[in-house]
Amino acid sequence: MLELVYLVPLFPLIGVVLNTLVLRHVKEPVPGVVAAGMIGASFVVTVGTFFQMLGMSAADRRFEQELFTWIAAGRFEAAAAFLIDPLSLVMMLVVTGVSFLIHIYSIGYMHGDEGFRKFFIYLNLFVFFMLLLVMGNNYLLMFVGWEGVGLCSYLLIGFWYTDEAKASAGKKAFIVNRIGDFGFLLAIFLIWSTFGTLQFTKVMPMAQVYPVGAGVITTICLLLFTGAVGKSAQFPLYVWLPDAMAGPTPVSALIHAATMVTAGVYMVVRSNFFFSLSPVASETVAIVGAGTAIFAATIGLVQNDIKKVLAYSTVSQLGFMFLAAGVGAYVAAIFHLMTHAFFKGLLFLGSGSVIHGMSGEQDIRQMGGLKSKMPATYLTFAIGTLAIAGVPGLAGFFSKDEILWKTFEHEHYVLWIVALCAAFCTAFYMFRLLYLTFFGKFRGSKAAEHHVHESSKVMTVPLMVLAGLSIIGGYIGLPHALGGHNRFEEWLKPVMQPEGEGIEELVVMHTPTAEYVLMILSVAVALTGIYLAYSWYMKKSALVESLGKSGGHHLLLNKYWVDQIYDTVISKPIVAGSELLAKYFDQGTIDGLVNGIGSFFTGVGGVVRQVQTGVVQNYALFMGLGVLVLLTVFMWVLI
C-alpha cells in the first residue's frame, strides 16, 4: 500500500477535475457524493498505509516516494516527493478521516445552495493542498500546500461573496496570513543557504552538528514560528480566525478543527530537530502559546455568537498545542491536535446543526430549550463539550492533561499556572454555551420556536461518529500513571527524538505522585468552571445581568479592543498614506507628467492640423506657392 500513497492527494484532485469539467450540468447531490467519495477513497488508502507501517519495526517506519524532479536550476533542486512516517500518517488520518465526515455533512448542510457544486470543488481542492502540506518531504512542497490552503480558505470563507461582510472576512484571512507567510518564506531561503537542501531527512542530520543556541538555528526557528503564528492564529496574528466564521459552517469545521489552523503546529513539530537546538525559540513558542491560550479563552467567556465562542476556543486550544511544542512535548502537541480535531469538528458541525434548525440564528441569547427539540444534536454537542472541558474519561482530558503535566514537568511553572487558568475558562465558556443553547426556556420568537427541528441523518450521523471519537480517541495516549503504555507516544517517538549529539533531551523522568496530584488539580479546575457556569446561567440570572454591565465584561465583549487598535494604528494610517500618495504622487505627479506629455502633442497636433484642412483649393494654392518659392530660389542661384 505504501507504493500507492500518491493516490491519497490524487483522489481529491480527481474530484476537483470531475466536478469542474465533467459534472458541470449535474444537479445535487451528485457533486457532493463524488467529492465525499474521493475523500473516502483517500482515507481508505491512508488506513491501509497505516496498518502496513504498523507492522514494521519502529526503525523502518519511514518511506519516501519521489514522483518527479520538480525544479532543477543550477545547484538548486527540489523534487515532488512525499515523506510517509508516523507523524505524517497521523496527520493524513486526521485530515482525510475528519474531512470525509465533513464532506458528508456538507451534502445536507449546503442543500439548496446555488453554489453547491462550486462548494465541493473548493472543499476537495482544500483537502488536496492540505495533504500536500503534510505529505511533502521538503519545506518547498510544504510551502506550496501552505499557500494552497490559504487560497482555498479565502475562497471558502468568502464563499457567499455577495455579502460584503463575508467577502471582507475572506480578504482579512488572506492578508493576515501573508504576514506570517513572509516569515516562512525567509526561513526557507535561510535553510537553503545554510544547508544547501530543503529536504527534511537531509537537513536534520546536518542541523545536529550545530551547537545548542546557534544563532542561525534560532533565526530559522523564529522565522518558521512567524509563519506558524499567522497560519495557526496565534497572538498577534489571530484576528482573522474569529471573522472567518462568516463562511459556511462546514468550512469552519474543516479549517478550524482538522486542517489549516493546525498546519503551524505540524510545521513546528516537523521541525523539532531545529527547535530542540534553540532554547530561545522554544521559550518563545511556549510563551506565545500560553499567552494566546489565556487571552483567547477570556474573550470566549462573554461571546454571544455560537460560532464566535468556538472560534476563540480554537485559538485558545491552538495555544495549548504551541505551549506543548515550546516545552519540548511535541508528542503531546500532536496528541491534542488529534483529539481537538475530533471534538472541535463535532462542536462546529453541531453548531451548524443548531443554526440550521434555528433558520440561521447564531445568537445564543435567542436560543434555549433546544435539548428536547434537537436530541441528537444536543447529545453529541454535550459530549464534545465534556471532552473539550477536560472531563475525565473523554479525549480532551487525556491530551490537555498531558500538556499541563509536561509543562509542569519541564519546570515551566508560570506557564503551567497560565494554562491551568485557560483550562478553567474553557470549561466555563463551553458550559455557558451548552446551557444557554440547550437548557432553560426558548428565548427567541414564536415563529423561530415553531421552526426549530432536528437535522437530517446525513448531518447527524457524522456528529455521532465524531462524538464516538471524542470519547475513545484519547485512550490511544493513556498515560503510564493511569496504567497505560501511551501507544501514541511510542508511535511518534522515532520522529520526535532523533539520535545525535547536541539534541536536547525531551523526556524527563516521571514522578507518578506529582502527576496524580496535578491530574486531580486539573480535573478540579474543570469541574469548578462547569459548576460556576451552571450556577450563573442556570440559577443566578440577576448576577449575570449585573456582571454584564461591568467594565470587565465590556472589555472582553470588545475583545480587548485589539481590532480597533489595529484599525487605528495600522489600517487607517496605511489607507490615509495610500490616499495621499494616490492624490499627490500618482494623480499629481505621475498622471500630471503623462497628461502633460499628451497635452503637448495634442497642442502641436492642433497647429499642424490647420494645414490638413481637406479643401483641395487650399492644397493647390500651397502647391503653387511652393513651386513659386522653388523657382525664385532656383533663379536666384543661377543669377
Side-chain angles (χ1 to χ4, degrees):
M1 192 63 83
L2 275 169
E3 288 72 18
L4 299 177
V5 77
Y6 67 89
L7 292 174
V8 176
L10 183 61
F11 279 129
L13 194 60
I14 291 173
V16 173
V17 174
L18 287 176
N19 271 326
T20 303
L21 302 177
V22 181
L23 304 174
R24 296 181 61 182
H25 303 293
V26 177
K27 295 182 179 179
E28 63 170 287
V30 176
V33 172
V34 169
M38 289 299 153
I39 303 299
S42 294
F43 179 65
V44 170
V45 175
T46 304
V47 170
T49 305
F50 167 73
F51 280 108
Q52 183 178 350
M53 193 163 277
L54 192 64
M56 299 176 177
S57 65
D60 296 331
R61 288 172 185 165
R62 189 170 74 187
F63 173 75
E64 292 198 61
Q65 184 179 58
E66 182 172 333
L67 301 179
F68 52 87
T69 300
W70 176 23
I71 301 174
R75 291 192 306 114
F76 182 81
E77 281 194 7
F82 299 137
L83 171 62
I84 310 302
D85 63 3
L87 176 59
S88 55
L89 258 178
V90 169
M91 293 299 297
M92 289 162 63
L93 285 168
V94 169
V95 171
T96 56
V98 178
S99 297
F100 175 59
L101 295 172
I102 292 171
H103 273 70
I104 293 174
Y105 175 95
S106 301
I107 295 172
Y109 190 87
M110 297 301 290
H111 171 65
D113 193 287
E114 60 181 14
F116 186 87
R117 183 177 61 87
K118 183 175 68 175
F119 181 78
F120 283 96
I121 292 172
Y122 291 167
L123 277 191
N124 268 188
L125 192 63
F126 184 95
V127 176
F128 164 72
F129 280 120
M130 189 65 200
L131 289 169
L132 275 190
L133 192 158
V134 301
M135 293 174 64
N137 82 333
N138 59 74
Y139 283 102
L140 196 59
L141 194 56
M142 175 188 275
F143 189 73
V144 172
W146 189 275
E147 289 301 302
V149 294
L151 169 66
C152 293
S153 70
Y154 163 72
L155 297 172
L156 287 166
I157 293 169
F159 183 73
W160 291 314
Y161 60 88
T162 53
D163 185 322
E164 179 61 30
K166 292 179 171 58
S168 296
K171 288 187 287 187
K172 186 175 183 178
F174 190 79
I175 293 169
V176 174
N177 269 280
R178 298 290 77 72
I179 299 171
D181 294 352
F182 183 63
F184 190 9
L185 204 55
L186 291 179
I188 291 175
F189 291 149
L190 189 54
I191 292 170
W192 162 252
S193 62
T194 305
F195 301 102
T197 179
L198 296 174
Q199 191 172 333
F200 302 134
T201 52
K202 291 182 178 177
V203 172
M204 185 173 65
M206 287 191 275
Q208 290 178 21
V209 303
Y210 281 79
V212 174
V216 65
I217 300 295
T218 297
T219 305
I220 288 171
C221 291
L222 292 176
L223 289 171
L224 287 174
F225 183 57
T226 302
V229 165
K231 191 66 75 182
S232 293
Q234 294 297 284
F235 189 88
L237 301 179
Y238 71 95
V239 290
W240 66 269
L241 195 145
D243 286 9
M245 295 299 108
T249 301
V251 173
S252 305
L254 183 64
I255 294 177
H256 306 138
T259 54
M260 178 175 149
V261 295
T262 63
V265 180
Y266 169 74
M267 184 256 275
V268 170
V269 174
R270 171 59 76 191
S271 307
N272 68 85
F273 52 86
F274 280 141
F275 284 88
S276 295
L277 289 170
S278 176
V280 172
S282 295
E283 197 75 16
T284 303
V285 173
I287 292 172
V288 171
T292 304
I294 187 66
F295 178 80
T298 54
I299 296 176
L301 293 173
V302 299
Q303 296 302 305
N304 295 314
D305 185 312
I306 187 171
K307 289 175 68 177
K308 287 287 180 73
V309 176
L310 298 178
Y312 282 104
S313 171
T314 298
V315 176
S316 179
Q317 297 303 308
L318 290 165
F320 274 96
M321 297 173 207
F322 279 112
L323 169 61
V327 301
Y330 301 109
V331 173
I334 295 298
F335 187 29
H336 196 56
L337 184 156
M338 183 189 75
T339 61
H340 179 261
F342 298 153
F343 54 71
K344 188 52 67 65
L346 166 62
L347 290 168
F348 267 119
L349 295 185
S351 72
S353 181
V354 170
I355 294 167
H356 196 261
M358 290 287 298
S359 306
E361 179 61 70
Q362 295 187 199
D363 192 333
I364 55 178
R365 292 171 298 183
Q366 302 300 316
M367 300 177 188
L370 301 185
K371 178 182 174 183
S372 57
K373 301 177 185 298
M374 308 180 73
T377 301
Y378 159 69
L379 183 62
T380 53
F381 198 93
I383 291 172
T385 304
L386 289 166
I388 194 174
V391 172
L394 284 89
F397 164 74
F398 296 110
S399 58
K400 191 182 295 181
D401 191 73
E402 184 79 0
I403 293 173
L404 291 171
W405 163 240
K406 292 292 184 183
T407 304
F408 188 90
E409 187 188 38
H410 287 257
E411 301 179 348
H412 295 275
Y413 301 124
V414 175
L415 298 181
W416 173 76
I417 292 172
V418 171
L420 202 62
C421 293
F424 165 79
C425 293
T426 303
F428 180 86
Y429 67 65
M430 285 308 305
F431 271 83
R432 170 181 176 266
L433 177 63
L434 183 75
Y435 291 141
L436 290 178
T437 304
F438 293 100
F439 289 83
K441 294 182 180 178
F442 188 79
R443 297 178 294 278
S445 65
K446 287 291 181 186
E449 185 176 15
H450 179 71
H451 180 267
V452 175
H453 62 279
E454 183 58 280
S455 301
S456 60
K457 293 289 185 187
V458 74
M459 293 172 66
T460 55
V461 169
L463 295 180
M464 295 172 189
V465 175
L466 287 170
L469 291 170
S470 299
I471 295 173
I472 65 173
Y475 287 91
I476 195 173
L478 195 66
H480 299 285
L482 295 180
H485 299 289
N486 203 335
R487 298 183 186 280
F488 196 74
E489 185 177 46
E490 291 177 7
W491 170 256
L492 289 177
K493 195 173 180 179
V495 184
M496 306 301 172
Q497 202 174 6
E499 296 178 355
E501 296 181 0
I503 300 297
E504 189 177 336
E505 187 66 34
L506 302 181
V507 178
V508 180
M509 292 299 293
H510 281 222
T511 51
T513 304
E515 190 170 358
Y516 292 144
V517 172
L518 294 176
M519 197 178 292
I520 293 170
L521 186 59
S522 68
V523 172
V525 164
L527 294 178
T528 303
I530 294 170
Y531 174 75
L532 200 61
Y534 172 78
S535 176
W536 285 12
Y537 291 95
M538 296 296 289
K539 290 184 175 179
K540 300 178 181 176
S541 58
L543 176 61
V544 173
E545 289 181 10
S546 174
L547 288 173
K549 299 174 183 175
S550 65
H553 183 274
H554 195 58
L555 178 68
L556 296 179
L557 194 61
N558 286 283
K559 299 163 281 187
Y560 295 102
W561 305 99
V562 171
D563 279 288
Q564 290 83 348
I565 293 171
Y566 281 178
D567 192 45
T568 304
V569 176
I570 299 175
S571 300
K572 286 183 178 175
I574 290 176
V575 171
S578 301
E579 288 177 346
L580 283 174
L581 287 174
K583 183 177 180 180
Y584 293 105
F585 183 71
D586 188 35
Q587 296 174 7
T589 305
I590 303 298
D591 286 1
L593 181 63
V594 173
N595 292 336
I597 294 173
S599 298
F600 171 76
F601 283 105
T602 300
V604 171
V607 173
V608 175
R609 188 171 62 239
Q610 301 304 318
V611 179
Q612 298 291 327
T613 61
V615 180
V616 176
Q617 290 87 341
N618 289 346
Y619 296 157
L621 176 62
F622 283 119
M623 288 177 63
L625 290 174
V627 170
L628 184 61
V629 170
L630 288 174
L631 287 174
T632 302
V633 171
F634 184 72
M635 292 296 293
W636 177 267
V637 172
L638 287 178
I639 294 172

